[in-house]
Amino acid sequence: MGSILGYHSRIHSAVMDASGQAIALSLSLSNLEAERSRGDFKERQQAALPQLVREAESLRRAIYELLAALPSEVREASEKGTSLLRHLGWIQKRFNEHSPLSAAGDPVDIVRVDLPGVLAIFNDWYSRRSPIDSDLHERLAPYIAAGQLSAAERESWIVFKSRVVSTFGLPEDVDGHRLADALFGQPDVTANLLSSQQRVGYLNLFKGLYTLFRNPVAHNDIQANPEEIEAVIALLNSFLAQVERRKVVPMRPSPL
């Protein structure tokens, strides 16, 4: 499910963009290398340099945009734990010296080593701060892979209901606003998970989610806004992950 969560997707897209820029520069340098044996190579290299500089600048910009989008601790760990900025600096140095082929290996290292390293550091940070419920992830993965986001949202509500009914010992036929009331309107059901203030907040939140998002998707063949779907799934995931993390002991619910 990580691929549908907005921030996670944004960082992965930024890494892909930087990788694309590095690959483009590497290919251009490879084409120039193929002409090294020509008698007019110096002239050809001089003519190619402005385009190479533009591609190097595009790579530099993509990398700095990626770093700027990262949380500060991930950015610092990436700068210390990879050679990304060193390779970028070496490219600039060699280009300034009009010797671009001396930096031919740097964009390759950026693609093969540095950017995967940054992504690994980010994924570790993300998994520790935004736990993903494994069952929800497995159930939604086929729909997300197929681009069936509305179906993924419908399935997320099915998973949510099944899990909370089982966890808190609620009747199978309770759903919608009645399920929200059962979970958050009765203190003895989620008292060991949430404070009274949190239960009030969740009660209002889930009643709104049922009215605005679950019911229209469940009862109509509509295509919801992808950003709204991301938000809804993220909220359901957050609550389910919180339940699992705290290993709630089911308590006897009050009569509905």
Side-chain angles (χ1 to χ4, degrees):
M1 191 181 66
S3 62
I4 201 172
L5 300 180
Y7 183 57
H8 192 270
S9 296
R10 176 187 172 195
I11 296 301
H12 277 245
S13 294
V15 170
M16 291 298 294
D17 180 47
S19 295
Q21 299 295 342
I23 290 171
L25 178 58
S26 179
L27 288 174
S28 295
L29 289 171
S30 294
N31 291 335
L32 182 61
E33 176 66 34
E35 298 183 349
R36 188 190 285 272
S37 61
R38 296 177 64 101
D40 60 348
F41 173 70
K42 289 186 178 180
E43 291 78 7
R44 287 178 174 270
Q45 178 175 262
Q46 191 63 30
L49 193 58
Q51 177 60 29
L52 291 172
V53 169
R54 286 192 290 271
E55 291 179 0
E57 174 59 23
S58 294
L59 173 59
R60 187 197 67 81
R61 186 165 53 249
I63 287 175
Y64 276 98
E65 287 176 357
L66 166 63
L67 293 174
L70 293 171
S72 59
E73 62 186 280
V74 176
R75 181 169 59 252
E76 291 171 4
S78 297
E79 292 174 356
K80 293 178 181 178
T82 74
S83 297
L84 183 60
L85 294 182
R86 183 177 67 82
H87 285 131
L88 201 61
W90 190 254
I91 291 171
Q92 184 174 1
K93 181 177 187 298
R94 289 310 191 190
F95 277 35
N96 288 341
E97 295 171 350
H98 291 192
S99 181
L101 291 181
S102 298
D106 293 285
V108 176
D109 287 338
I110 287 174
V111 172
R112 290 182 177 177
V113 181
D114 297 329
L115 291 175
V118 171
L119 198 55
I121 294 169
F122 170 75
N123 284 338
D124 178 67
W125 175 90
Y126 190 89
S127 65
R128 286 185 283 108
R129 285 159 179 78
S130 182
I132 294 175
D133 182 80
S134 59
D135 183 46
L136 189 62
H137 175 270
E138 292 177 4
R139 295 277 291 272
L140 300 191
Y143 298 106
I144 294 171
Q148 300 173 356
L149 300 187
S150 292
E153 183 181 5
R154 282 191 289 269
E155 186 70 13
S156 70
W157 283 107
I158 293 172
V159 174
F160 173 77
K161 177 190 171 180
S162 175
R163 182 77 62 78
V164 298
V165 163
S166 173
T167 299
F168 297 104
L170 299 172
E172 290 288 341
D173 62 349
V174 66
D175 202 358
H177 284 205
R178 291 178 64 233
L179 179 56
D181 283 326
L183 283 171
F184 310 115
Q186 301 175 27
D188 59 329
V189 175
T190 53
N192 56 344
L193 176 64
L194 304 168
S195 68
S196 59
Q197 187 175 18
Q198 288 174 321
R199 289 196 298 275
V200 171
Y202 269 115
L203 177 62
N204 294 330
L205 172 63
F206 273 86
K207 283 190 173 183
L209 290 176
Y210 274 110
T211 299
L212 297 175
F213 300 108
R214 200 296 297 268
N215 294 343
V217 172
H219 304 303
N220 301 279
D221 184 18
I222 63 172
Q223 291 296 320
N225 185 306
E227 292 184 358
E228 293 176 351
I229 293 174
E230 289 182 359
V232 171
I233 293 177
L235 286 169
L236 296 180
N237 168 76
S238 176
F239 182 74
L240 292 178
Q242 186 175 186
V243 169
E244 292 300 311
R245 186 170 63 249
R246 299 191 184 185
K247 298 187 182 300
V248 174
V249 177
M251 304 183 68
R252 179 182 300 175
S254 300
L256 297 176

